[in-house]
Amino acid sequence: MKRLDKTERQQQLARLFAENPFTTDEELAKKFSVSVQTIRLDRMELNIPELRERTKRVAKQVFNKVRSMTGNELVGELLELELGLSASSILVVTPDMVAEKSQVCRGDYIFSQANTLAAALIDAEIVLTGSARLRFRRPVYLNEKIVAKAFLARKKINKYLIKVVSKVGAEEVFVGKFILVAR
Amino acid sequence: MKRLDKTERQQQLARLFAENPFTTDEELAKKFSVSVQTIRLDRMELNIPELRERTKRVAKQVFNKVRSMTGNELVGELLELELGLSASSILVVTPDMVAEKSQVCRGDYIFSQANTLAAALIDAEIVLTGSARLRFRRPVYLNEKIVAKAFLARKKINKYLIKVVSKVGAEEVFVGKFILVAR
DNA sequence: CTAGGTATTGGGACCTGGTAATAAATTTGT
DNA sequence: ACAAATTTATTACCAGGTCCCAATACCTAG
Protein backbone atom coordinates (compact mmCIF):
# COMPACT_ATOMS: atom_id res chain seq x y z
CA MET A 1 0.00 0.00 0.00
CA LYS A 2 1.13 3.48 -0.85
CA ARG A 3 2.07 5.78 1.95
CA LEU A 4 -0.82 8.10 2.68
CA ASP A 5 -0.70 11.40 4.45
CA LYS A 6 -1.84 11.69 8.02
CA THR A 7 -5.42 12.80 7.58
CA GLU A 8 -6.13 10.21 4.93
CA ARG A 9 -4.59 7.47 7.00
CA GLN A 10 -6.61 8.47 10.04
CA GLN A 11 -9.83 8.47 8.06
CA GLN A 12 -9.16 4.98 6.83
CA LEU A 13 -8.18 3.91 10.32
CA ALA A 14 -11.44 5.13 11.79
CA ARG A 15 -13.33 3.26 9.12
CA LEU A 16 -11.35 0.07 9.67
CA PHE A 17 -11.94 0.15 13.41
CA ALA A 18 -15.66 0.58 12.93
CA GLU A 19 -15.73 -2.32 10.52
CA ASN A 20 -13.50 -4.63 12.48
CA PRO A 21 -12.31 -3.71 15.94
CA PHE A 22 -10.08 -6.78 16.31
CA THR A 23 -6.87 -5.54 14.72
CA THR A 24 -3.59 -4.94 16.54
CA ASP A 25 -1.50 -1.83 16.07
CA GLU A 26 1.22 -3.96 14.56
CA GLU A 27 -1.01 -5.33 11.82
CA LEU A 28 -2.19 -1.85 11.00
CA ALA A 29 1.36 -0.53 10.94
CA LYS A 30 2.20 -3.06 8.27
CA LYS A 31 -0.93 -2.33 6.30
CA PHE A 32 -0.12 1.38 6.18
CA SER A 33 3.67 0.97 6.02
CA VAL A 34 4.24 3.16 9.02
CA SER A 35 5.66 2.42 12.43
CA VAL A 36 3.63 1.05 15.28
CA GLN A 37 4.13 4.31 17.15
CA THR A 38 2.49 6.26 14.40
CA ILE A 39 -0.59 4.08 14.66
CA ARG A 40 -0.61 4.63 18.39
CA LEU A 41 -0.44 8.38 17.94
CA ASP A 42 -3.28 8.15 15.45
CA ARG A 43 -5.39 6.20 17.91
CA MET A 44 -4.69 8.83 20.53
CA GLU A 45 -5.82 11.60 18.26
CA LEU A 46 -8.89 9.70 17.18
CA ASN A 47 -9.61 8.72 20.75
CA ILE A 48 -9.67 5.04 19.93
CA PRO A 49 -8.69 2.72 22.77
CA GLU A 50 -6.39 -0.26 22.49
CA LEU A 51 -7.37 -3.63 21.07
CA ARG A 52 -8.23 -5.26 24.37
CA GLU A 53 -10.34 -2.36 25.49
CA ARG A 54 -12.18 -2.32 22.16
CA THR A 55 -12.82 -6.02 22.34
CA LYS A 56 -14.10 -5.70 25.87
CA ARG A 57 -16.50 -2.95 24.94
CA VAL A 58 -17.97 -4.89 22.06
CA ALA A 59 -18.31 -7.94 24.28
CA LYS A 60 -19.97 -6.11 27.15
CA GLN A 61 -22.32 -4.20 24.95
CA VAL A 62 -23.58 -7.27 23.22
CA PHE A 63 -23.46 -9.45 26.29
CA ASN A 64 -25.96 -7.11 27.87
CA LYS A 65 -28.10 -7.00 24.78
CA VAL A 66 -28.19 -10.73 24.39
CA ARG A 67 -29.16 -11.02 28.01
CA SER A 68 -31.99 -8.56 27.81
CA MET A 69 -33.15 -9.67 24.41
CA THR A 70 -32.92 -13.43 24.49
CA GLY A 71 -31.76 -14.32 27.99
CA ASN A 72 -34.81 -12.85 29.61
CA GLU A 73 -36.90 -13.93 26.71
CA LEU A 74 -38.33 -10.48 26.91
CA VAL A 75 -37.67 -7.48 24.74
CA GLY A 76 -37.67 -4.37 26.86
CA GLU A 77 -37.58 -4.20 30.62
CA LEU A 78 -40.42 -5.57 32.66
CA LEU A 79 -42.10 -2.92 34.75
CA GLU A 80 -44.96 -4.81 36.26
CA LEU A 81 -46.51 -8.22 35.96
CA GLU A 82 -49.64 -9.77 37.35
CA LEU A 83 -49.69 -13.24 35.93
CA GLY A 84 -52.81 -13.85 33.92
CA LEU A 85 -53.99 -10.28 34.25
CA SER A 86 -51.75 -7.53 32.98
CA ALA A 87 -48.14 -6.63 32.43
CA SER A 88 -46.10 -3.71 31.22
CA SER A 89 -42.61 -3.16 29.93
CA ILE A 90 -40.49 -0.29 28.75
CA LEU A 91 -38.22 -0.21 25.74
CA VAL A 92 -35.87 2.65 24.95
CA VAL A 93 -35.17 3.05 21.26
CA THR A 94 -31.40 2.81 20.76
CA PRO A 95 -29.50 3.57 17.54
CA ASP A 96 -29.37 -0.08 16.52
CA MET A 97 -33.16 -0.28 16.45
CA VAL A 98 -33.75 2.48 13.97
CA ALA A 99 -33.64 2.32 10.21
CA GLU A 100 -30.64 4.30 9.07
CA LYS A 101 -32.30 6.55 6.59
CA SER A 102 -35.41 7.44 8.48
CA GLN A 103 -34.22 7.21 12.08
CA VAL A 104 -37.52 5.52 12.78
CA CYS A 105 -37.68 2.51 15.07
CA ARG A 106 -38.16 -0.65 13.08
CA GLY A 107 -41.54 -2.29 13.44
CA ASP A 108 -40.15 -5.64 14.42
CA TYR A 109 -38.74 -4.24 17.67
CA ILE A 110 -42.09 -2.77 18.60
CA PHE A 111 -43.75 -6.06 17.75
CA SER A 112 -41.18 -8.04 19.70
CA GLN A 113 -41.73 -5.97 22.80
CA ALA A 114 -45.48 -6.48 22.56
CA ASN A 115 -45.28 -10.15 21.67
CA THR A 116 -42.85 -11.14 24.41
CA LEU A 117 -44.81 -9.11 26.91
CA ALA A 118 -47.99 -10.88 25.95
CA ALA A 119 -46.23 -14.22 26.34
CA ALA A 120 -44.88 -13.21 29.75
CA LEU A 121 -48.42 -12.66 30.92
CA ILE A 122 -49.34 -16.27 30.54
CA ASP A 123 -48.65 -18.66 33.33
CA ALA A 124 -47.50 -21.64 31.33
CA GLU A 125 -44.22 -23.24 30.44
CA ILE A 126 -44.69 -23.19 26.73
CA VAL A 127 -46.42 -20.37 24.95
CA LEU A 128 -46.80 -20.02 21.20
CA THR A 129 -48.06 -17.11 19.21
CA GLY A 130 -51.02 -18.26 17.15
CA SER A 131 -52.08 -15.14 15.35
CA ALA A 132 -52.05 -11.41 15.70
CA ARG A 133 -53.45 -8.17 14.38
CA LEU A 134 -51.26 -5.16 14.59
CA ARG A 135 -51.64 -1.47 14.01
CA PHE A 136 -48.68 0.85 14.04
CA ARG A 137 -50.23 4.22 14.65
CA ARG A 138 -47.30 6.53 14.38
CA PRO A 139 -43.54 6.20 13.87
CA VAL A 140 -41.33 5.98 16.93
CA TYR A 141 -38.05 7.83 16.92
CA LEU A 142 -34.62 7.42 18.36
CA ASN A 143 -34.40 7.68 22.15
CA GLU A 144 -38.15 7.57 22.67
CA LYS A 145 -39.37 5.32 25.44
CA ILE A 146 -42.05 2.87 24.49
CA VAL A 147 -44.21 1.68 27.33
CA ALA A 148 -46.25 -1.38 26.42
CA LYS A 149 -49.20 -2.59 28.46
CA ALA A 150 -50.73 -5.98 27.97
CA PHE A 151 -54.13 -7.13 29.25
CA LEU A 152 -55.74 -10.49 29.09
CA ALA A 153 -58.98 -9.90 27.21
CA ARG A 154 -60.40 -13.41 26.93
CA LYS A 155 -59.41 -16.92 27.74
CA LYS A 156 -60.67 -20.17 26.26
CA ILE A 157 -59.07 -23.24 27.75
CA ASN A 158 -55.55 -22.95 26.40
CA LYS A 159 -56.10 -19.98 24.12
CA TYR A 160 -55.56 -16.46 25.30
CA LEU A 161 -56.60 -13.25 23.63
CA ILE A 162 -54.28 -10.53 24.77
CA LYS A 163 -54.39 -6.88 23.88
CA VAL A 164 -51.24 -4.81 23.95
CA VAL A 165 -51.13 -1.04 23.71
CA SER A 166 -47.80 0.71 23.37
CA LYS A 167 -47.41 4.38 24.07
CA VAL A 168 -44.74 7.01 23.93
CA GLY A 169 -45.79 9.43 26.61
CA ALA A 170 -49.51 9.76 26.23
CA GLU A 171 -49.50 8.93 22.53
CA GLU A 172 -50.55 5.55 21.31
CA VAL A 173 -47.98 4.25 18.86
CA PHE A 174 -48.98 0.64 18.53
CA VAL A 175 -51.95 -1.61 19.23
CA GLY A 176 -51.90 -5.35 18.87
CA LYS A 177 -54.26 -8.20 19.55
CA PHE A 178 -52.56 -11.53 20.05
CA ILE A 179 -53.93 -14.99 20.29
CA LEU A 180 -51.49 -17.07 22.23
CA VAL A 181 -51.63 -20.78 22.78
CA ALA A 182 -50.32 -22.51 25.88
CA ARG A 183 -49.05 -26.04 25.61
CA MET B 1 -16.68 -17.01 51.90
CA LYS B 2 -16.06 -20.40 53.39
CA ARG B 3 -13.43 -22.57 51.81
CA LEU B 4 -15.06 -25.11 49.55
CA ASP B 5 -13.62 -28.34 48.32
CA LYS B 6 -12.33 -28.71 44.83
CA THR B 7 -15.36 -30.11 43.05
CA GLU B 8 -17.72 -27.64 44.64
CA ARG B 9 -15.48 -24.74 43.80
CA GLN B 10 -15.18 -25.86 40.22
CA GLN B 11 -18.93 -26.15 39.85
CA GLN B 12 -19.41 -22.63 41.10
CA LEU B 13 -16.62 -21.43 38.86
CA ALA B 14 -18.24 -22.89 35.78
CA ARG B 15 -21.48 -21.18 36.70
CA LEU B 16 -19.81 -17.85 37.32
CA PHE B 17 -18.04 -17.92 34.00
CA ALA B 18 -21.26 -18.62 32.16
CA GLU B 19 -22.95 -15.78 33.95
CA ASN B 20 -20.18 -13.26 33.64
CA PRO B 21 -17.10 -14.03 31.61
CA PHE B 22 -15.33 -10.78 32.55
CA THR B 23 -13.66 -11.81 35.78
CA THR B 24 -9.93 -12.12 36.32
CA ASP B 25 -8.30 -15.05 38.07
CA GLU B 26 -7.21 -12.72 40.83
CA GLU B 27 -10.74 -11.59 41.62
CA LEU B 28 -11.90 -15.16 41.69
CA ALA B 29 -9.01 -16.17 43.92
CA LYS B 30 -10.15 -13.60 46.45
CA LYS B 31 -13.77 -14.63 46.15
CA PHE B 32 -12.91 -18.25 46.92
CA SER B 33 -10.04 -17.50 49.30
CA VAL B 34 -7.59 -19.59 47.36
CA SER B 35 -4.46 -18.69 45.48
CA VAL B 36 -4.45 -17.48 41.91
CA GLN B 37 -2.69 -20.67 40.87
CA THR B 38 -5.49 -22.78 42.15
CA ILE B 39 -7.95 -20.88 40.01
CA ARG B 40 -5.69 -21.37 37.03
CA LEU B 41 -5.53 -25.10 37.66
CA ASP B 42 -9.31 -25.14 37.91
CA ARG B 43 -9.65 -23.36 34.62
CA MET B 44 -7.30 -25.84 33.03
CA GLU B 45 -9.33 -28.76 34.28
CA LEU B 46 -12.58 -27.16 33.21
CA ASN B 47 -11.09 -26.19 29.89
CA ILE B 48 -11.94 -22.54 30.33
CA PRO B 49 -9.67 -20.10 28.54
CA GLU B 50 -8.22 -16.95 30.03
CA LEU B 51 -10.09 -13.69 30.45
CA ARG B 52 -8.93 -12.09 27.22
CA GLU B 53 -9.75 -15.11 25.17
CA ARG B 54 -13.21 -15.34 26.74
CA THR B 55 -13.84 -11.69 26.11
CA LYS B 56 -12.72 -12.03 22.52
CA ARG B 57 -15.03 -14.95 21.91
CA VAL B 58 -18.06 -13.16 23.27
CA ALA B 59 -17.19 -10.10 21.23
CA LYS B 60 -16.73 -11.94 17.97
CA GLN B 61 -19.82 -14.02 18.40
CA VAL B 62 -22.03 -11.07 18.99
CA PHE B 63 -20.29 -8.78 16.55
CA ASN B 64 -21.38 -11.15 13.83
CA LYS B 65 -24.89 -11.41 15.13
CA VAL B 66 -25.40 -7.70 15.42
CA ARG B 67 -24.25 -7.33 11.86
CA SER B 68 -26.66 -9.86 10.51
CA MET B 69 -29.57 -8.79 12.64
CA THR B 70 -29.47 -5.03 12.62
CA GLY B 71 -26.71 -4.01 10.25
CA ASN B 72 -28.42 -5.42 7.24
CA GLU B 73 -31.77 -4.11 8.26
CA LEU B 74 -32.94 -7.54 7.26
CA VAL B 75 -33.52 -10.54 9.43
CA GLY B 76 -32.47 -13.64 7.56
CA GLU B 77 -30.48 -13.79 4.37
CA LEU B 78 -31.87 -12.41 1.17
CA LEU B 79 -32.29 -15.06 -1.51
CA GLU B 80 -33.97 -13.15 -4.24
CA LEU B 81 -35.42 -9.71 -4.77
CA GLU B 82 -37.42 -8.14 -7.55
CA LEU B 83 -38.16 -4.66 -6.33
CA GLY B 84 -41.87 -4.01 -6.18
CA LEU B 85 -42.74 -7.57 -7.07
CA SER B 86 -41.48 -10.33 -4.84
CA ALA B 87 -38.64 -11.27 -2.56
CA SER B 88 -37.52 -14.21 -0.47
CA SER B 89 -35.16 -14.80 2.40
CA ILE B 90 -33.97 -17.69 4.49
CA LEU B 91 -33.53 -17.80 8.24
CA VAL B 92 -31.92 -20.67 10.10
CA VAL B 93 -33.20 -21.08 13.63
CA THR B 94 -30.20 -20.89 15.98
CA PRO B 95 -30.22 -21.65 19.71
CA ASP B 96 -30.58 -17.99 20.66
CA MET B 97 -33.87 -17.75 18.82
CA VAL B 98 -35.67 -20.51 20.64
CA ALA B 99 -37.50 -20.33 23.93
CA GLU B 100 -35.51 -22.33 26.43
CA LYS B 101 -38.20 -24.59 27.71
CA SER B 102 -39.93 -25.45 24.50
CA GLN B 103 -37.07 -25.22 22.01
CA VAL B 104 -39.54 -23.51 19.73
CA CYS B 105 -38.50 -20.50 17.68
CA ARG B 106 -39.91 -17.33 19.16
CA GLY B 107 -42.60 -15.64 17.15
CA ASP B 108 -40.85 -12.32 17.00
CA TYR B 109 -38.04 -13.76 14.93
CA ILE B 110 -40.46 -15.19 12.43
CA PHE B 111 -42.28 -11.88 12.33
CA SER B 112 -39.05 -9.94 11.96
CA GLN B 113 -38.00 -12.00 8.99
CA ALA B 114 -41.33 -11.43 7.30
CA ASN B 115 -41.58 -7.77 8.19
CA THR B 116 -38.09 -6.81 7.08
CA LEU B 117 -38.52 -8.83 3.91
CA ALA B 118 -41.73 -7.01 3.13
CA ALA B 119 -39.99 -3.69 3.69
CA ALA B 120 -37.12 -4.71 1.43
CA LEU B 121 -39.58 -5.25 -1.38
CA ILE B 122 -40.56 -1.62 -1.50
CA ASP B 123 -38.53 0.75 -3.57
CA ALA B 124 -38.54 3.73 -1.24
CA GLU B 125 -36.14 5.31 1.18
CA ILE B 126 -38.44 5.27 4.15
CA VAL B 127 -40.86 2.46 4.80
CA LEU B 128 -43.07 2.12 7.84
CA THR B 129 -45.19 -0.77 8.91
CA GLY B 130 -48.77 0.41 9.17
CA SER B 131 -50.60 -2.70 10.17
CA ALA B 132 -50.45 -6.44 9.88
CA ARG B 133 -52.35 -9.65 10.32
CA LEU B 134 -50.38 -12.68 11.23
CA ARG B 135 -51.02 -16.37 11.53
CA PHE B 136 -48.49 -18.72 13.01
CA ARG B 137 -49.54 -22.07 11.67
CA ARG B 138 -47.17 -24.40 13.39
CA PRO B 139 -44.18 -24.11 15.74
CA VAL B 140 -40.75 -23.92 14.22
CA TYR B 141 -37.93 -25.81 15.90
CA LEU B 142 -34.23 -25.44 16.40
CA ASN B 143 -32.13 -25.71 13.23
CA GLU B 144 -35.08 -25.56 10.89
CA LYS B 145 -34.70 -23.30 7.89
CA ILE B 146 -37.48 -20.83 7.35
CA VAL B 147 -37.90 -19.62 3.81
CA ALA B 148 -40.08 -16.55 3.58
CA LYS B 149 -41.59 -15.30 0.32
CA ALA B 150 -43.13 -11.90 -0.01
CA PHE B 151 -45.41 -10.71 -2.84
CA LEU B 152 -46.83 -7.33 -3.52
CA ALA B 153 -50.59 -7.88 -3.57
CA ARG B 154 -51.96 -4.38 -4.01
CA LYS B 155 -50.64 -0.88 -4.18
CA LYS B 156 -52.45 2.39 -3.56
CA ILE B 157 -50.29 5.44 -4.01
CA ASN B 158 -47.95 5.13 -1.08
CA LYS B 159 -49.60 2.17 0.62
CA TYR B 160 -48.56 -1.36 -0.15
CA LEU B 161 -50.32 -4.56 0.76
CA ILE B 162 -47.78 -7.32 0.95
CA LYS B 163 -48.35 -10.95 1.65
CA VAL B 164 -45.62 -13.05 3.20
CA VAL B 165 -45.67 -16.82 3.43
CA SER B 166 -42.98 -18.61 5.41
CA LYS B 167 -42.32 -22.28 4.99
CA VAL B 168 -40.13 -24.95 6.46
CA GLY B 169 -39.67 -27.34 3.61
CA ALA B 170 -43.09 -27.65 2.05
CA GLU B 171 -44.94 -26.82 5.23
CA GLU B 172 -46.43 -23.41 5.76
CA VAL B 173 -45.47 -22.14 9.19
CA PHE B 174 -46.47 -18.52 8.98
CA VAL B 175 -48.64 -16.24 6.88
CA GLY B 176 -48.74 -12.49 7.23
CA LYS B 177 -50.42 -9.61 5.46
CA PHE B 178 -48.67 -6.31 5.89
CA ILE B 179 -49.70 -2.84 5.01
CA LEU B 180 -46.60 -0.78 4.58
CA VAL B 181 -46.42 2.93 4.03
CA ALA B 182 -43.71 4.65 2.03
CA ARG B 183 -42.73 8.16 2.91
C1' DC C 1 19.69 30.98 5.86
C1' DT C 2 17.64 29.62 9.99
C1' DA C 3 14.30 28.97 13.70
C1' DG C 4 10.00 26.82 14.63
C1' DG C 5 6.13 23.72 13.99
C1' DT C 6 4.45 19.11 12.32
C1' DA C 7 4.97 14.25 11.46
C1' DT C 8 7.37 10.17 12.14
C1' DT C 9 10.36 6.94 14.33
C1' DG C 10 13.01 4.49 18.00
C1' DG C 11 13.87 3.05 22.54
C1' DG C 12 13.24 2.12 27.48
C1' DA C 13 10.58 1.42 31.67
C1' DC C 14 6.38 -0.27 33.26
C1' DC C 15 1.58 -2.60 33.40
C1' DT C 16 -2.01 -6.38 33.14
C1' DG C 17 -3.36 -10.81 32.79
C1' DG C 18 -2.05 -14.24 31.58
C1' DT C 19 1.13 -19.36 30.16
C1' DA C 20 4.45 -22.87 31.50
C1' DA C 21 7.29 -25.28 34.47
C1' DT C 22 9.19 -26.66 38.71
C1' DA C 23 9.29 -27.17 43.53
C1' DA C 24 7.63 -26.96 48.09
C1' DA C 25 4.07 -26.99 51.55
C1' DT C 26 -0.34 -28.52 53.14
C1' DT C 27 -4.36 -31.38 53.44
C1' DT C 28 -6.65 -35.68 53.03
C1' DG C 29 -7.71 -40.57 52.81
C1' DT C 30 -6.71 -44.80 54.78
C1' DA D 1 1.98 -42.34 59.73
C1' DC D 2 2.64 -42.10 54.99
C1' DA D 3 1.50 -41.59 50.23
C1' DA D 4 -1.44 -39.29 47.19
C1' DA D 5 -3.99 -35.32 46.12
C1' DT D 6 -4.30 -30.57 46.39
C1' DT D 7 -2.73 -26.08 47.00
C1' DT D 8 0.69 -22.53 47.05
C1' DA D 9 4.98 -20.07 45.79
C1' DT D 10 8.44 -18.74 42.63
C1' DT D 11 10.42 -17.70 38.45
C1' DA D 12 10.81 -16.82 33.51
C1' DC D 13 8.40 -15.42 29.60
C1' DC D 14 4.70 -13.32 26.30
C1' DA D 15 1.28 -10.00 23.96
C1' DG D 16 -0.27 -5.81 23.51
C1' DG D 17 -0.29 -2.32 25.08
C1' DT D 18 0.83 2.88 28.10
C1' DC D 19 3.79 6.80 29.00
C1' DC D 20 7.63 9.44 28.23
C1' DC D 21 11.80 11.20 26.07
C1' DA D 22 14.84 12.00 22.35
C1' DA D 23 16.16 12.01 17.41
C1' DT D 24 15.22 12.89 12.68
C1' DA D 25 13.03 14.74 8.50
C1' DC D 26 10.51 18.15 6.23
C1' DC D 27 8.11 22.34 5.26
C1' DT D 28 7.37 27.16 5.89
C1' DA D 29 7.66 32.05 7.37
C1' DG D 30 10.68 35.76 8.81
Side-chain angles (χ1 to χ4, degrees), chain A residues 103-118:
Chain A
Q103 295 292 298
V104 166
C105 181
R106 292 166 44 193
D108 38 324
Y109 282 98
I110 298 172
F111 172 79
S112 292
Q113 180 191 16
N115 186 45
T116 55
L117 184 65

Side-chain angles (χ1 to χ4, degrees), chain A residues 62 67 100 129-132 134 136, chain B residues 19 62 73 129-130 132 134 136:
Chain A
V62 195
R67 295 251 284 213
E100 247 187 84
T129 306
S131 64
L134 323 172
F136 296 83
Chain B
E19 231 169 69
V62 195
E73 312 224 331
T129 306
L134 322 173
F136 295 84

Side-chain angles (χ1 to χ4, degrees), chain A residues 18-22 52 55-56 58-60 62-63 65-67 69-70 73-75 96 98-102 104 106-109 111-112 115-116 125-126 128-136 139 183, chain B residues 18-22 52 55-56 58-60 62-63 65-67 69-70 73-75 96 98-102 104 106-109 111-112 115-116 125-126 128-136 139 183:
Chain A
E19 232 168 68
N20 171 3
F22 310 113
R52 290 182 292 236
T55 311
K56 198 165 75 183
V58 172
K60 286 208 161 150
V62 195
F63 195 70
K65 173 143 54 184
V66 170
R67 295 251 284 213
M69 175 97 179
T70 75
E73 311 225 331
L74 187 77
V75 178
D96 53 279
V98 302
E100 247 187 84
K101 312 213 173 173
S102 59
V104 166
R106 292 166 44 193
D108 38 324
Y109 282 98
F111 172 79
S112 292
N115 186 45
T116 55
E125 289 277 288
I126 299 180
L128 303 177
T129 306
S131 64
R133 269 198 205 207
L134 323 172
R135 266 230 300 288
F136 296 83
R183 285 270 168 103
Chain B
E19 231 169 69
N20 171 5
F22 311 112
R52 285 156 184 153
T55 311
K56 199 165 76 183
V58 173
K60 287 210 159 146
V62 195
F63 194 69
K65 175 147 49 180
V66 169
R67 300 247 288 206
M69 174 93 182
T70 75
E73 312 224 331
L74 188 77
V75 177
D96 53 279
V98 302
E100 246 186 89
K101 313 214 170 168
S102 59
V104 166
R106 293 166 43 194
D108 37 324
Y109 282 98
F111 172 80
S112 292
N115 186 44
T116 55
E125 289 278 287
I126 299 179
L128 303 177
T129 306
S131 63
R133 269 196 205 209
L134 322 173
R135 267 231 298 289
F136 295 84
R183 283 273 168 102

Side-chain angles (χ1 to χ4, degrees), chain B residues 80-165:
Chain B
E80 169 217 2
L81 172 64
E82 280 190 274
L83 268 178
L85 280 176
S86 69
S88 58
S89 76
I90 185 167
L91 177 68
V92 180
V93 179
T94 54
D96 53 279
M97 302 182 194
V98 302
E100 246 186 89
K101 313 214 170 168
S102 59
Q103 295 292 296
V104 166
C105 180
R106 293 166 43 194
D108 37 324
Y109 282 98
I110 298 171
F111 172 80
S112 292
Q113 181 192 17
N115 186 44
T116 55
L117 184 65
L121 194 56
I122 296 178
D123 187 15
E125 289 278 287
I126 299 179
V127 179
L128 303 177
T129 306
S131 63
R133 269 196 205 209
L134 322 173
R135 267 231 298 289
F136 295 84
R137 312 197 74 151
R138 81 139 166 88
V140 179
Y141 300 96
L142 189 57
N143 298 323
E144 290 191 316
K145 295 179 186 64
I146 309 174
V147 176
K149 293 197 181 178
F151 313 86
L152 180 66
R154 258 205 305 286
K155 181 188 166 183
K156 276 187 192 167
I157 318 170
N158 67 336
K159 288 193 179 174
Y160 298 76
L161 172 62
I162 290 167
K163 190 174 171 185
V164 181
V165 179

